[in-house]
Amino acid sequence: MVRINEILDKVRDYASDKGVALIQKAYVFSAAAHAGQTRRSGEPYLSHPLEVTNVLAEMKLDEATIAAGLLHDTVEDTKASIEDIDAQFGEEVADIVDGVTKISQITFDSKEEAQAENIRKMILAMAENIRVLMVKLADRLHNMRTLEHMPAPKRMAIARETLDIYAPLANRLGLHRVQVELEDLSFKYVKPDIFEQMSQGVRDKEIVGKEYVDKVVALLEKTLKKNKIKGRIRGRNKHLYSIHRKMLQQNLTLDEVHDLVAFRVVVNNVKDCYAVLGLVHSMWMPVHGRFKDYISMPKANMYQSLHTTVIGPDGERIEIQIRTEDMHRLAEYGVAAHWLYKDGGKLREKDVGQFAWLRRILDWQKEESDSREFMRSLRFDLFKDEVYVFTPQGEVKELPEGATPVDFAYLIHTEVGDHCTGAKVNGRLVTLSTELKNGDTIEIITDAHRNPSRDWLKFVKTAKARTRINHYLRTVERARSIALAKEMLEKEGRKMGINVAKVLKEERFLPIAEEFSFQSVEHLLSAVGYSRITPRKVLHRLQAHEQALEQGIDPAPMSEQDAAEEAARLKAAEEERAKSADTVTIKGVDNVLVRFAGCCNPLPGDAIVGYISRGRGVTVHTLDCPNVQTVEPERLLEVSWGTEADQPYRAKIRVLCKNERGVLAEVGHLLAEEEVNIDSGSILSNVDGNTEMVFTVEVRDSAHLYQANAKLNGLASVIEAIRVTAS
C-alpha cells in the first residue's frame, strides 16, 4: 500500500506549503472516516483513496484534486456529508467530491438505465469541472488493478464498461498511460484466454527481439549524433490490447504482426522533428500510406507527433514516432499537462476550442432526454477515430471515422442538415451515404423542400445528426399519431353517440388527460394514436366525468387501484413496443406497439406488410397472407425488417412422413441439431398409412427455417416438409 509521505513527496515538487497542508488534512479526515472499513481484498479501505491519490499525484494535478482523491468515497461510504467537506476543505474540493460521488439515492428501472444515467451525469459534471473525470478515471484505474477480488460476473461487467467508456474517455483527454493500462486490464478479464495466449506470444518475441531493438536504437542515435540533433530514443512494445485490435481489424495472426515494437524519438523543437523524419526516410524505405502528420493537424485530444512506418533492418517493418519534449509530456498526461491548473479546472473559452468533442456532447445531451439513447450516441460518436475534412472555404472540420456528408451537414448547422439533398466531395457528386476520408473537401447541396429521411439513420455516425433526425421524425410522427387518434376516437364516438370534434373544440378532454396523468390533451391523443390506451377507455372516462358534472357532483377521480393498473398496463405496452422497435421499421411511424400476426407468423427475411389494428397498434403479416388481401388499403403500412433482435420467432411446419417406428425421434433429433426448438405440435395418422406432424417451432429467421426443412426433406422417412404460412 502506498504511504501518504510518498504522495506528499511527489506533490511538494510543484505545490505550495498551503496545498501540502490541505492534502495532509484531507488524509487525516479520510483515515478517520474510513476507520474499521476493509476492501474485498482484506486490505484497509484507506488503501483505495491513497492509491487513487497517488495516480493523481503522478499526473501532477493541483492540490484541490489531490485532496478530493483522498476524500472521494467519504460521502458515499461513510457518515461524512458534502456539507462537512465544504466546511473543512472549501467549495472547490467539495465540488469535485460531489461530482465524483455515485448517485446511489436514485431509483432506476434497470441496471442499463442506472449505468447510462451515471455516465451521463459524469459527463455533465466533467463539463463543469474536468477534474471530476480525472478523479473518476484514477478511481476506476485502481479498481481495475484490484479487480481479481470481485465475483466473476461483476468482474466481466466492470471490465466491459471500462473498455467501452472509461478507456476511450482517457484517450479523449490525452491520458495515454491511463488509457493503455485500462485497456490491458480490461482485456485480461473480457477475453482471458486470448489475453493469456497473446501475453505468452509477445513475451517469446521480446526474448528474440531485444537485440533487434538495441540495433535500431543504436542506428538512430548514430544518425542523430552525426547530424548534430539532440534527442533521446526509446524502443517499446505496443500494449496488448492495441495489438489485438490490429489483429482483428486486419485479420492477422500474432506472427503476422511485424511492428510489435514502436520507436520514439524525442527532440527539442518542431524543426528537428521534420529533420529526423527526413533522415529516417533516407535510411529506410517508408511504407506507402503509413505516414501521419499529427503536428500540423493535431488529434482532438491535442496529441501531436509524426508517425511513420518504414522497412527497417533485415526487412522488418518498424513504426517510428517523432515529437518534441512538450509534445511527449502532452501525449503522456494529456489535459493534466496543459491547462488543468488554470481557472479552477473549468473550461475557458479558448480551451473549449481544443475540446470540440466535449462541446458536441454538451450540445446534444440537452436535446436527448433518454439516458440509454445518450449512451448509444456516446459510444457511437465519441469513441471512434477521427477524420479531418475541409469546407469549401478551407476550414478544417473533425468527424468520427466513417462519417458521411449528412454528418458533415449537421456539423455545419442544423438547418443545413435538415435540408441536405446532395453533396460534392472533392468536386464530384456522391451519395449521402459516402464515407468521408481524411483531406476530403465537402460541399453540401440543400433544398428548402427536402426534410430528414429515416434512411439516414442507417449510415450517419455522429450523435448530433442522429439526435436531430430523430427529433424531426418524432415531431412528424407525433402529428400523424394525433391525426390517427382523432380518427379512431371519432369512429368509436359515433358508436357511443359522442361528437368527438365538438369535445375537442370545447377542450373537454383536458380533465381526462389529467386523470390519465398526461401533461396535455395532445399527449393523451398521442398515446391513443400510439395504441398505448384505447379510444373506448378514453370515451368511457369522458362519459363518466360529464355525467357526474350534470348531476352536480364532483367527478370521481380514477381510484388508486385503477390508476396503478393503468400505469402498469401502459408500462407493459411501452416495454413490448421497445422490445419490437429494433426488429421492425415502420415507414412514417415511430414509437408504436408492433405485434406479429399468429395467422402467418412472419419471419425476418419474409416480405411483410403492417396492418393498423384499432387500439392495438400495428400487426405485421406476410405480404401474401390471405387475411390482408381484403382489408381496407388505407389501413396498410409499409414496413421492413430493421436490426434483427437476438430473439426466437415462431413458425409452423407440416411434416408428412411414413408411419414407421422411430420417425418422430428422427425428426426431433434433426430439428435439435439445426437449433430449432419445438414449442408445440400435433400428430395425425392418415388412412393412407402416412403420418402428418404439425409443429410450432422457434427459429431465427426464414433462412433458418428453410434450411431445417431442406434437411428434413433429405430424410428417407420424410415425404414432404413445408412451412405453413396461414391458418
Side-chain angles (χ1 to χ4, degrees):
M1 182 174 82
V2 69
R3 304 292 178 183
I4 186 61
N5 287 338
E6 297 173 47
I7 295 170
L8 293 174
D9 286 343
K10 293 174 183 175
V11 173
R12 283 192 183 99
D13 290 341
Y14 62 87
S16 65
D17 291 342
K18 186 178 178 181
V20 172
L22 179 74
I23 294 166
Q24 287 176 314
K25 182 180 177 182
Y27 168 72
V28 173
F29 185 95
S30 182
H34 291 297
Q37 294 180 345
T38 56
R39 305 194 82 214
R40 285 179 179 267
S41 62
E43 289 183 297
Y45 194 91
L46 185 63
S47 65
H48 173 63
L50 280 170
E51 292 289 353
V52 169
T53 304
N54 189 51
V55 172
L56 299 171
E58 286 176 351
M59 294 185 201
K60 299 188 184 305
L61 298 186
D62 63 310
E63 49 262 37
T65 310
I66 303 291
L70 286 164
L71 301 166
H72 78 276
D73 273 340
T74 54
V75 174
E76 181 189 358
D77 295 330
T78 76
K79 294 179 180 179
S81 67
I82 282 293
E83 290 73 24
D84 296 333
I85 305 295
D86 195 343
Q88 294 209 39
F89 301 97
E91 184 181 353
E92 190 176 6
V93 174
D95 283 347
I96 300 173
V97 174
D98 191 34
V100 175
T101 301
K102 294 181 180 70
I103 313 149
S104 54
Q105 295 82 10
I106 301 175
T107 303
F108 296 101
D109 292 334
S110 68
K111 288 183 179 179
E112 179 192 3
E113 186 180 344
Q115 184 216 38
E117 189 64 16
N118 274 325
I119 299 296
R120 183 187 182 106
K121 293 201 177 242
M122 181 183 71
I123 294 288
L124 298 181
M126 159 187 148
E128 289 296 320
N129 192 331
I130 203 80
R131 293 174 296 180
V132 168
L133 182 57
M134 306 297 280
V135 178
K136 194 75 176 175
L137 285 170
D139 174 55
R140 179 52 63 106
L141 181 58
H142 183 245
N143 283 334
M144 288 301 300
R145 288 172 177 172
T146 56
L147 196 59
E148 71 271 13
H149 301 293
M150 298 295 288
K154 203 160 186 179
R155 283 202 299 264
M156 174 65 79
I158 293 171
R160 184 78 260 170
E161 181 186 65
T162 301
L163 204 55
D164 286 348
I165 302 296
Y166 288 91
L169 277 173
N171 174 49
R172 280 297 192 176
L173 291 177
L175 303 172
H176 178 71
R177 288 189 179 184
V178 175
Q179 175 204 348
V180 164
E181 191 173 354
L182 286 176
E183 286 180 343
D184 278 356
L185 288 170
S186 301
F187 184 30
K188 176 181 176 181
Y189 294 103
V190 171
K191 296 184 177 177
D193 49 344
I194 298 175
F195 177 85
E196 191 52 46
Q197 290 173 12
M198 286 188 60
S199 297
Q200 186 58 52
V202 170
R203 279 195 295 269
D204 293 343
K205 284 179 175 285
E206 278 180 9
I207 296 169
V208 176
K210 189 177 185 308
E211 289 182 6
Y212 185 81
V213 171
D214 293 341
K215 179 180 179 180
V216 172
V217 169
L219 285 170
L220 287 169
E221 286 177 341
K222 182 179 178 181
T223 301
L224 262 64
K225 186 175 181 180
K226 181 180 177 181
N227 289 274
K228 298 179 180 179
I229 297 174
K230 291 183 179 179
R232 52 192 178 90
I233 302 155
R234 182 189 166 211
R236 60 172 182 84
N237 286 305
K238 292 185 175 179
H239 67 290
L240 288 179
Y241 186 69
S242 70
I243 298 170
H244 172 65
R245 190 163 48 207
K246 180 174 183 176
M247 288 167 61
L248 290 178
Q249 289 171 348
Q250 300 182 21
N251 196 25
L252 302 173
T253 65
L254 186 60
D255 289 334
E256 292 171 325
V257 180
H258 298 295
D259 51 347
L260 290 176
V261 179
F263 295 88
R264 183 179 298 138
V265 182
V266 181
V267 294
N268 291 334
N269 54 57
V270 174
K271 180 183 175 183
D272 286 348
C273 288
Y274 288 99
V276 171
L277 177 70
L279 292 170
V280 168
H281 284 178
S282 67
M283 291 168 64
W284 300 305
M285 181 182 294
V287 177
H288 178 70
R290 297 290 296 166
F291 168 66
K292 292 181 181 178
D293 185 350
Y294 292 119
I295 292 180
S296 61
M297 195 172 287
K299 288 188 177 184
N301 59 15
M302 301 176 294
Y303 175 87
Q304 289 184 288
S305 189
L306 297 175
H307 289 198
T308 186
T309 301
V310 297
I311 307 298
D314 307 327
E316 291 287 341
R317 282 191 178 198
I318 56 174
E319 181 184 348
I320 299 175
Q321 300 170 0
I322 308 162
R323 60 181 68 149
T324 66
E325 289 287 356
D326 287 343
M327 292 174 192
H328 179 63
R329 187 166 63 254
L330 188 62
E332 295 294 300
Y333 295 110
V335 294
H338 179 57
W339 49 266
L340 198 62
Y341 315 124
K342 305 165 189 174
D343 292 349
K346 295 187 178 181
L347 293 175
R348 299 179 303 174
E349 188 61 37
K350 67 176 184 178
D351 292 324
V352 172
Q354 297 178 344
F355 284 82
W357 61 275
L358 180 54
R359 187 167 50 194
R360 285 201 302 269
I361 295 174
L362 297 179
D363 286 342
W364 49 260
Q365 71 83 21
K366 295 171 185 173
E367 300 175 4
E368 187 53 70
S369 58
D370 186 336
S371 294
R372 283 169 286 193
E373 180 59 33
F374 177 83
M375 279 292 290
R376 285 191 286 271
S377 297
L378 192 66
R379 290 191 178 102
F380 208 74
D381 182 46
L382 185 57
F383 305 143
K384 285 182 171 285
D385 291 334
E386 306 86 22
V387 294
Y388 297 92
V389 296
F390 296 91
T391 68
Q393 292 74 35
E395 185 181 352
V396 179
K397 295 292 182 182
E398 175 206 335
L399 288 164
E401 186 180 36
T404 65
V406 176
D407 295 296
F408 178 83
Y410 276 106
L411 182 63
I412 298 301
H413 196 278
T414 298
E415 286 293 316
V416 176
D418 282 348
H419 302 302
C420 173
T421 189
K424 288 183 179 180
V425 174
N426 303 324
R428 295 175 58 244
L429 279 170
V430 297
T431 62
L432 291 178
S433 59
T434 301
E435 290 192 4
L436 303 178
K437 302 290 188 294
N438 269 320
D440 283 346
T441 298
I442 321 298
E443 181 183 350
I444 299 297
I445 303 166
T446 59
D447 181 347
H449 301 293
R450 177 67 184 262
N451 292 309
S453 164
R454 179 176 295 280
D455 290 339
W456 292 0
L457 292 172
K458 296 176 183 176
F459 55 75
V460 294
K461 292 293 185 287
T462 59
K464 181 175 182 180
R466 292 182 66 81
T467 300
R468 295 309 306 171
I469 295 166
N470 277 319
H471 175 74
Y472 171 80
L473 293 174
R474 280 196 294 265
T475 301
V476 171
E477 289 154 4
R478 184 180 174 83
R480 288 176 179 169
S481 72
I482 291 173
L484 179 60
K486 289 178 180 178
E487 180 190 337
M488 294 163 68
L489 285 165
E490 285 171 359
K491 185 172 181 179
E492 191 66 36
R494 284 194 290 271
K495 296 178 186 176
M496 299 172 64
I498 299 173
N499 187 335
V500 171
K502 186 179 179 183
V503 171
L504 284 166
K505 186 176 180 180
E506 295 173 357
E507 299 184 348
R508 284 151 52 193
F509 274 130
L510 186 56
I512 311 306
E514 291 172 353
E515 275 197 43
F516 282 103
S517 301
F518 291 110
Q519 297 174 4
S520 66
V521 173
E522 279 196 352
H523 284 85
L524 172 66
L525 293 175
S526 182
V528 173
Y530 286 146
S531 301
R532 295 177 189 158
I533 186 169
T534 64
R536 180 175 291 273
K537 186 181 286 287
V538 172
L539 294 176
H540 275 307
R541 289 304 303 169
L542 177 70
Q543 279 185 327
H545 180 88
E546 298 201 335
Q547 284 171 5
L549 288 176
E550 286 174 7
Q551 295 168 14
I553 59 175
D554 289 335
M558 196 183 296
S559 69
E560 288 187 12
Q561 182 179 348
D562 287 347
E565 288 176 359
E566 184 62 25
R569 193 197 68 76
L570 288 173
K571 183 178 178 182
E574 177 63 20
E575 288 175 353
E576 183 65 27
R577 186 211 62 73
K579 185 178 177 182
S580 63
D582 288 338
T583 308
V584 172
T585 301
I586 305 172
K587 187 172 182 180
V589 181
D590 193 13
N591 204 25
V592 65
L593 180 63
V594 174
R595 303 170 188 272
F596 295 101
C599 53
C600 53
N601 292 306
L603 299 174
D606 290 339
I608 52 176
V609 66
Y611 173 71
I612 301 174
S613 306
R614 303 300 189 197
R616 298 185 64 207
V618 173
T619 304
V620 177
H621 295 259
T622 58
L623 196 59
D624 58 357
C625 177
N627 290 335
V628 296
Q629 303 306 313
T630 57
V631 301
E632 308 160 44
E634 62 270 17
R635 291 175 67 178
L636 295 178
L637 290 173
E638 185 181 331
V639 298
S640 60
W641 295 103
T643 305
E644 294 178 16
D646 185 16
Q647 65 182 60
Y649 293 85
R650 290 192 172 203
K652 284 185 180 179
I653 59 173
R654 174 179 170 271
V655 184
L656 186 65
C657 53
K658 299 172 184 176
N659 192 350
E660 298 176 348
R661 181 178 298 174
V663 68
L664 177 60
E666 190 178 13
V667 168
H669 179 69
L670 187 144
L671 289 174
E673 281 188 338
E674 293 299 309
E675 298 181 348
V676 175
N677 179 52
I678 300 175
D679 185 68
S680 61
S682 61
I683 303 175
L684 178 67
S685 294
N686 296 331
V687 292
D688 59 3
N690 294 326
T691 296
E692 182 180 285
M693 306 177 187
V694 179
F695 296 118
T696 299
V697 296
E698 293 179 337
V699 293
R700 292 187 297 274
D701 50 33
S702 58
H704 185 200
L705 178 66
Y706 290 128
Q707 177 183 318
N709 277 347
K711 293 285 181 72
L712 286 172
N713 282 312
L715 295 176
S717 57
V718 172
I719 300 168
E720 180 185 48
I722 60 171
R723 177 183 177 186
V724 180
T725 56
S727 58

